[in-house]
Amino acid sequence: MRKLFLLAISCLFSLAAQAQVDSVRATTLPPAQQAEKLYNSGVAKYNSKSYRAALQDFDKALAVRPDFAKAYYNRATTRYELKEYQQAIQDYDQALRLEPSFTSYFGRAQAREALGQRDEAQQDYTKTTETKADYAPAWYYRGALRFEKGEYQAARADFDQAIKVDPSYAYAYHDRASASRQLGNYQAAIQDYSNAYSLQPDLLPALLNRAATKRRAGDLKGALADYNEYVQKKTDNPIAYTNRGSTRYEAGDYRGAVEDFGKAVELDAKYSFAWNNRAAAYLKLEDYQKAAADATKAIALNPQYAEAYLNRGHAREMLREADGACQDWRKAAELGLEVGATHAANSGCGAE
């Protein structure tokens, strides 16, 4: 939930109590005070997550005082929470026209990003950094947009700025690590994932991504240690088990790999990647029946899975199902895996 910028609630000073003095009614307040009273009521309702009620109060405040910039800003923020993004943008426009501020630029950027208007959102994040250079989230979110566009060097520079402004910004460390990994700087990535995880121990993707980076850097032992720690903390992620299984496979621990891929398909029976990987591990263990069965399951889930055809071809070859092996290797080649054609040719597969 976004934090509203709350104006100080006006204090109404009452006269000394006297029998002949009438009470002051809200309707008799000057327009500016009426608007502020309604505005403060809207803020209170927003903070209690009563967004529709808050919206009504901000509407009334603006009806009384159409030039109330903060009411436009907070109505925009409320509309954002209600996922009324286009209306939120319109209110941010009004707030910026009346009283330009970094909060309105940032809020409009978020609404534009929610609508998929990424270029416009990036422009607003830039305006935010120009208006308030020490606002770390603006640097971070602009970096994230640049990362999504594949501009990893520029994204890393933005994450640098976010961290410079806020050295405790765990997500900025995490995403700078991801940019470094894309740029091939694995050691920098590992260090930043470590920083993110240290700052925020519940940020488990940092642990998972550090493991993947260590694996890519050839540190299989370190990767396995990270995967082990991850699955101790989160036991329901099939991707984690699949990645640990792949690491065990690369380390030659095929039985451990089978165990992990099996856990992955228990958690997600439609995870074709895990079925195929277990097939590959069974091939290494020379359990060809199980390898063929797992590859068949992967193909049933994804008929365009070239690697699964290749693995089933190997299993069928060892099961002395020559025709089936040839068909699978040809299919793998047809789907773009040229090694399938090589296996077919080397095994004497004739033309169909």
Side-chain angles (χ1 to χ4, degrees):
M1 183 177 74
R2 295 159 179 261
K3 182 179 179 181
L4 294 182
F5 288 77
L6 173 60
L7 290 178
I9 298 177
S10 298
C11 295
L12 301 178
F13 294 95
S14 61
L15 298 174
Q18 298 180 24
Q20 70 270 29
V21 178
D22 291 334
S23 298
V24 176
R25 296 178 179 273
T27 54
T28 67
L29 291 173
Q33 286 182 297
Q34 289 184 46
E36 191 170 328
K37 181 181 177 69
L38 289 163
Y39 170 83
N40 289 331
S41 175
V43 169
K45 289 172 182 176
Y46 176 96
N47 288 334
S48 66
K49 299 186 179 181
S50 300
Y51 300 127
R52 286 294 173 195
L55 200 61
Q56 291 175 4
D57 281 345
F58 294 134
D59 287 344
K60 292 174 184 176
L62 287 165
V64 175
R65 183 182 161 192
D67 64 346
F68 199 168
K70 286 186 172 62
Y72 278 113
Y73 169 81
N74 285 314
R75 188 172 72 174
T77 302
T78 305
R79 283 176 161 167
Y80 182 93
E81 293 294 340
L82 292 168
K83 299 185 178 176
E84 297 175 356
Y85 302 123
Q86 192 58 55
Q87 297 96 316
I89 289 170
Q90 292 168 2
D91 276 345
Y92 285 126
D93 288 342
Q94 289 296 325
L96 286 164
R97 181 180 63 82
L98 292 165
E99 189 178 298
S101 68
F102 80 93
T103 54
S104 291
Y105 281 121
F106 183 79
R108 190 172 68 178
Q110 297 260 283
R112 284 175 162 174
E113 189 172 352
L115 286 175
Q117 299 171 3
R118 297 176 186 274
D119 289 340
E120 294 85 349
Q122 184 170 324
Q123 291 170 10
D124 274 343
Y125 288 133
T126 298
K127 288 294 292 184
T128 307
T129 64
E130 292 171 352
T131 306
K132 188 171 176 60
D134 61 350
Y135 188 57
W139 295 106
Y140 171 77
Y141 281 101
R142 190 177 73 172
L145 284 178
R146 286 174 162 175
F147 184 94
E148 290 173 6
K149 291 161 62 175
E151 299 173 359
Y152 303 121
Q153 201 68 256
R156 195 184 193 287
D158 277 348
F159 298 137
D160 284 344
Q161 286 298 318
I163 292 165
K164 182 178 179 181
V165 172
D166 181 2
S168 65
Y169 204 154
Y171 283 96
Y173 281 106
H174 179 277
D175 288 8
R176 187 173 72 174
S178 296
S180 293
R181 185 170 69 174
Q182 291 294 334
L183 292 167
N185 192 342
Y186 300 136
Q187 291 308 312
I190 290 167
Q191 182 59 54
D192 272 346
Y193 286 133
S194 298
N195 289 335
Y197 187 49
S198 176
L199 285 165
Q200 191 169 325
D202 62 347
L203 187 57
L204 294 183
L207 185 58
L208 197 61
N209 285 328
R210 187 176 71 181
T213 308
K214 286 179 178 179
R215 178 182 164 204
R216 192 174 296 184
D219 180 8
L220 299 183
K221 183 177 179 180
L224 283 171
D226 280 349
Y227 285 129
N228 291 342
E229 184 176 349
Y230 181 92
V231 298
Q232 286 174 358
K233 295 184 175 184
K234 187 170 177 59
T235 61
D236 61 350
N237 186 349
I239 294 174
Y241 286 104
T242 299
N243 288 346
R244 188 174 70 174
S246 296
T247 307
R248 284 176 162 175
Y249 183 96
E250 291 173 16
D253 179 11
Y254 304 121
R255 293 194 184 282
V258 164
E259 180 183 336
D260 275 343
F261 296 138
K263 183 64 177 178
V265 298
E266 284 177 20
L267 291 167
D268 182 1
K270 295 183 179 180
Y271 195 2
S272 60
F273 190 76
W275 285 106
N276 176 67
N277 282 6
R278 192 169 70 172
Y282 276 134
L283 282 173
K284 290 292 187 180
L285 293 171
E286 300 182 2
D287 193 335
Y288 304 119
Q289 289 286 1
K290 288 182 179 178
D294 276 359
T296 298
K297 181 66 175 180
I299 291 165
L301 290 166
N302 180 7
Q304 304 303 307
Y305 200 162
E307 288 82 359
Y309 285 104
L310 185 71
N311 283 333
R312 191 172 68 176
H314 292 327
R316 285 177 163 177
E317 178 187 35
M318 299 309 295
L319 292 169
R320 299 197 182 346
E321 299 174 9
D323 290 343
C326 288
Q327 290 173 9
D328 280 341
W329 288 328
R330 291 193 194 101
K331 184 65 176 179
E334 179 187 319
L335 291 170
L337 203 59
E338 288 300 321
V339 69
T342 302
H343 282 299
N346 290 343
S347 297
C349 297
E352 288 184 328

